[in-house]
Amino acid sequence: MSDTPVLDRAKAPRPVPKPGILDIAPYVPGKAKVEGVEHPLKLSANENILGSSPKAREAFASAVDQLHMYPEGRSNILRDAIGARFGLEPERLLFGCGSDEIFQLLNQAFLEPGDNIVQGEYGFGAYAIGARACQAEIRMAREPNYRIDVDEMLKMVDARTRLVFVANPANPTGTWITGSEVRRLHAALPPSVVLVLDGAYDGFISEPDYEDGFAMVREFENVVATRTFSKLHGLAALRVGWAYMPAEMAAAVDRIRLPFNVNIPAQLAGVAALGDVAFEQATLELVETWRPWLTQQIGGLGLDVVPSAANFVLVGFPKTPGKTAADADTFLSSRGLIPRRVAGYGLPDHLRITIGLEEHNRAVVDALADFMKA
Ligand SMILES: *Cc1c(COP(=O)(O)O)cnc(C)c1O
C-alpha cells in the first residue's frame, strides 16, 4: 500500500506525515502558458470554450454586495433549483467545492486504512488522491480499448473494497459504457460497496443506451451520481459540484462537509446557469458538431482517435522519434494550441484536446497535419 518505510513517528526529528501521504504524486493540472507565445489557446482542461452563461455571469456580479457574509451553509437555493430542474429529492443532494470535494468526502466517510477503491486504469486522478490520504489501496482495472470493462472491474473487488468509481463518460479517454453495463457491474457488487457514477460529462452524451444514474440512486442504497457545473455550464472557476445519493448516505457524509463549502457567488451563478437552457444547448451543439469532424479529420492523418462522448478527444501518437505525443505537444504549443499530456494517466502516447470553436478545431487539424508531414 505504501512505500514509506515504517518508522516511529514520535521519535522523528521533525513532523512526519502519516504513511501514504508522501506517496501521493502531486496533481499536475493542464498547462495554461507557453514560453514565447502570447495568448495561447488552452485546450488542456476541458473548459467550456463558449465561456459561461450570460445569466450566470450576471448572477455572479450581483453577489458583490454580499462578500462580507457567510453563505447559507446547505446551499439551499441551489438544492431547490436542482431538485426542481431534475426532479430530485432535495434531502438526497450533497454539494461540494467542485465534484472533487464530493469524491474526497466519500473517500473520507467510507475508507479505513487497508480498505481499497476500484477504478479503471485510466481513471480520473482525483479519486485516488483522497483515497491515498485515507491510507487506502488504489486498485486499477484494465481498460481494453480505453474503455471500462465490467469483468475487469469486478476482478479487482474484494472484501476490503468500499468504493468503485466510474466516470461515464470518462476522462481522459472520453469513452462511455451503457446503462446495462453499469447495471451489470452494480448487480455483481456486494451491497456494502458504494458505486460512484461520476457524470461530469453527462451533459455531452446523447446516446440512447446511456443511463444518467439517477434512477439507480433511487432503486438502490449504494449508488451515488455526481455532477459538476465546471464543464457544460462553464463555471469551473467557481468550484461547484453536487451529488444525488441515498438520503442516509447524504446525512452521513454531510457530517464531515465543511460548513460553508459552496460560496455565495457560486450558488447564485449555479442557480442562474440552470435557468439558461439555451446556453447549455449552444454548448452541446458545438460539441456535437465538431466532435465527429475532429475525430474524422485527425483519424485521416493516420492518428488514433479514441471515440469520445465528451467535450474533448484523446489522440494516440506513434512511438517513432519525432512523431511522439511529447513531440506533438511541443509542436502544437509552439503554434499557441495547448493540449493536455496524459502520461500521468498511464497514456504516455496520447494527448487530450478540448473541442474548441470552428477556427480552433481547424487550427488543431492544420497543425497536426503539418506535424505529421514534417
Ligand atoms: C472535470 C471533471 C470533474 C469535475 O471536477 P470539479 O471538481 O467539479 O471541477 C469530475 N470528474 C471528471 C472525470 C472530470 O473530468
Side-chain angles (χ1 to χ4, degrees):
M1 177 179 58
S2 160
D3 300 330
T4 316
V6 179
L7 55 82
D8 188 342
R9 294 168 63 216
K11 296 207 178 100
R14 67 188 75 83
V16 176
K18 66 184 178 180
I21 298 294
L22 297 179
D23 301 333
I24 299 172
Y27 182 78
V28 182
K31 274 189 300 186
K33 287 188 186 141
V34 189
E35 184 107 26
V37 181
E38 258 183 79
H39 310 300
L41 180 69
K42 189 180 171 201
L43 298 174
S44 61
N46 304 340
E47 289 148 343
N48 193 320
I49 204 78
L50 296 177
S52 39
S53 141
K55 292 183 180 172
R57 292 163 59 99
E58 220 171 277
F60 175 80
S62 79
V64 75
D65 294 328
Q66 296 179 62
L67 297 187
H68 59 295
M69 298 181 68
Y70 279 103
E72 185 277 310
R74 282 179 46 82
S75 304
N76 278 326
I77 55 166
L78 202 46
R79 187 178 294 273
D80 291 344
I82 285 169
R85 165 83 189 268
F86 300 104
L88 305 176
E89 307 84 333
E91 69 279 7
R92 292 187 175 203
L93 299 174
L94 183 83
F95 292 84
C97 178
S99 29
D100 279 2
E101 188 191 10
I102 308 262
F103 308 137
Q104 187 90 348
L105 292 172
L106 288 165
N107 280 324
Q108 274 183 48
F110 289 101
L111 295 172
E112 288 183 71
D115 287 342
N116 67 64
I117 69 164
V118 173
Q119 63 176 65
E121 66 181 309
Y122 310 121
F124 188 50
Y127 316 142
I129 294 174
R132 287 205 168 92
C134 297
Q135 293 171 272
E137 182 197 347
I138 317 304
R139 299 189 149 203
M140 307 271 217
R142 283 188 54 244
E143 290 187 59
N145 297 316
Y146 310 104
R147 200 168 165 275
I148 290 286
D149 181 290
V150 172
D151 295 308
E152 295 291 340
M153 293 286 279
L154 290 172
K155 273 190 222 164
M156 294 293 162
V157 174
D158 70 6
R160 295 304 301 268
T161 303
R162 298 287 171 262
L163 297 140
V164 172
F165 286 94
V166 176
N168 198 25
N171 170 25
T173 59
T175 59
W176 64 285
I177 60 174
T178 64
S180 51
E181 287 173 288
V182 177
R183 283 177 180 269
R184 188 164 78 80
L185 171 63
H186 174 266
L189 290 176
S192 58
V193 173
V194 183
L195 175 61
V196 184
L197 302 173
D198 173 358
Y201 299 95
D202 163 271
F204 298 107
I205 183 167
S206 33
E207 301 286 344
D209 296 340
Y210 168 79
E211 219 189 299
D212 67 18
F214 293 156
M216 286 184 71
V217 174
R218 270 182 224 112
E219 268 171 72
F220 307 110
E221 290 182 275
N222 63 335
V223 180
V224 174
T226 67
R227 292 289 184 277
T228 180
F229 280 92
S230 297
K231 310 281 160 60
L232 182 66
H233 296 101
L235 296 178
L238 296 182
R239 315 301 306 123
V240 198
W242 56 278
Y244 182 54
M245 60 180 75
E248 304 73 47
M249 201 188 291
V253 176
D254 204 46
R255 290 162 200 254
I256 53 169
R257 182 181 60 82
L258 296 181
F260 307 107
N261 60 338
V262 183
N263 64 68
I264 293 176
Q267 291 191 33
L268 292 174
V271 171
L274 284 178
D276 194 347
V277 176
F279 180 81
E280 285 179 21
Q281 271 165 359
T283 303
L284 181 60
E285 230 177 84
L286 182 85
V287 167
E288 285 187 331
T289 302
W290 293 102
R291 190 168 55 197
W293 186 84
L294 279 166
T295 305
Q296 193 233 342
Q297 296 287 314
I298 298 174
L301 300 173
L303 296 167
D304 293 325
V305 188
V306 178
S308 171
N311 66 338
F312 57 85
V313 288
L314 183 70
V315 183
F317 289 83
K319 288 181 190 291
T320 326
K323 295 277 177 269
T324 65
D327 298 321
D329 177 25
T330 307
F331 190 91
L332 288 170
S333 299
S334 73
R335 294 221 175 166
L337 302 163
I338 307 183
R340 176 72 145 98
R341 293 233 41 205
V342 284
Y345 285 96
L347 295 163
D349 301 325
H350 289 76
L351 295 179
R352 193 191 68 196
I353 304 170
T354 307
I355 295 167
L357 303 175
E358 171 167 3
E359 66 262 33
H360 306 148
N361 301 325
R362 291 189 185 280
V364 165
V365 168
D366 289 348
L368 286 174
D370 290 347
F371 170 72
M372 291 306 283
K373 264 188 253 145

